[in-house]
Amino acid sequence: MSDRIRILLFCRAPAEGPEVIERAYHEISRTLADTPGLLGNELLHSLIEDDAFAVMSEWESFEAFHAWDEGPEHKGQTAGLRPYQDRTRRPWDMYAVRASY
């Protein structure tokens, strides 16, 4: 069992197109590059729904994620994607890595 966790943030592209999501993702990722405990992130695009995206971030532990999530910079760092969160579902979820190969 690992202490690593993964956070999924679900987004929907606006009428202006998917480029809006991609731009916001790249801007946010640059600001998060040196965040303690963040191992990396990926922008995922649905093969089923053209306007559906998910951002998957991997953290070394729940404690590292929680420290950042509760910190003063979190809201400002992630503001660029907040308007595009998919509100038709829970806009985010958190998973623990139970096994990997």
Side-chain angles (χ1 to χ4, degrees):
M1 183 135 105
S2 171
D3 289 339
R4 289 179 296 145
I5 65 166
R6 294 197 175 123
I7 308 297
L8 290 171
L9 173 69
F10 303 104
C11 297
R12 291 280 175 180
E16 297 86 44
E19 299 81 16
V20 174
I21 299 286
E22 293 170 7
R23 269 194 309 275
Y25 166 77
H26 288 296
E27 289 173 15
I28 291 168
S29 294
R30 282 190 287 275
T31 67
L32 296 177
D34 296 322
T35 300
L38 178 61
L39 301 175
N41 64 67
E42 297 176 318
L43 178 62
L44 308 175
H45 184 221
S46 173
L47 297 176
I48 308 298
E49 298 177 80
D50 196 46
D51 67 339
F53 288 83
V55 175
M56 194 239 6
S57 59
E58 184 172 9
W59 295 81
E60 66 185 25
S61 66
F62 172 77
E63 293 76 19
F65 170 75
H66 186 67
W68 171 78
D69 188 49
E70 294 296 316
E73 296 176 340
H74 168 234
K75 298 289 187 209
Q77 288 174 320
T78 59
L81 280 174
R82 198 160 294 115
Y84 310 111
Q85 288 181 354
D86 186 352
R87 301 288 180 188
T88 65
R89 61 182 298 160
R90 180 184 170 130
W92 63 273
D93 213 336
M94 182 182 312
Y95 296 88
V97 177
R98 295 291 299 258
S100 64
Y101 292 88

